[in-house]
Amino acid sequence: ANTPERFLHAVVEAIKDGKGTISTESKVLAATPYSFSARFEGAPGTNPEELLAASHAGCFTMALSLILGEAGIWPERIDTTATVTREKLETGFTVTKIHLDVTVAAPGAERGKFEAAAAKAKVNCPISKVLRADISMDARLAA
């Protein structure tokens, strides 16, 4: 059975100042600063776009490693960077693009097999899929 997992918890502490914290269930992030200034002005802390990029790069890299192995390619190293583009559109700030830049060290790998594996990983890693998924929500107003 598929069991939903909760990984990230965000708390906004002061709406007026746009400050809060983000924690993950694993505690890799524990009350990590999260603010308007971290998101838009380069202040210390994290932001949704940075977390999305890190998640996508990690997920894609794991998927690519698996798919390369299935193709008989055994990489020595996979280095992936995800760049998220956020633009201010008429409807407000929008993530308009994610670019994956991957370099793989795999001596003797056949270019065609490598390119097919990379394309398959890009489409099939769970984070790529969630970016096309239906989003559900439960919203409650605290008393």
Side-chain angles (χ1 to χ4, degrees):
N2 290 329
T3 305
E5 297 180 57
R6 192 178 118 221
F7 292 107
L8 188 65
H9 180 71
V11 176
V12 175
E13 296 169 347
I15 299 288
K16 187 176 180 183
D17 295 327
K19 296 179 185 174
T21 60
I22 291 183
S23 299
T24 56
E25 197 169 298
S26 68
K27 302 299 181 206
V28 168
L29 297 177
T32 301
Y34 176 87
S35 67
F36 178 90
S37 59
R39 190 172 192 185
F40 296 105
E41 299 168 354
T46 192
N47 61 71
E49 293 80 11
E50 178 181 57
L51 295 169
L52 177 61
S55 295
H56 203 185
C59 182
F60 168 81
T61 301
M62 290 177 129
L64 180 57
S65 177
L66 173 69
I67 294 166
L68 286 172
E70 291 170 348
I73 298 172
W74 308 105
E76 294 175 352
R77 180 178 170 86
I78 301 174
D79 184 3
T80 305
T81 300
T83 303
V84 171
T85 300
R86 176 187 62 228
E87 296 181 72
K88 187 171 184 180
L89 304 177
E90 287 183 22
T91 56
F93 284 102
T94 304
V95 171
T96 56
K97 295 183 229 173
I98 299 177
H99 177 74
L100 297 170
D101 184 15
V102 62
T103 302
V104 176
E110 183 184 315
R111 180 169 299 280
K113 283 185 177 181
F114 165 73
E115 289 173 354
K120 185 175 179 181
K122 180 184 82 124
V123 172
N124 290 305
C125 90
I127 299 300
S128 291
K129 288 179 179 180
V130 77
L131 295 173
R132 300 184 305 266
D134 290 334
I135 299 172
S136 64
M137 177 176 69
D138 292 323
R140 289 173 289 289
L141 185 60

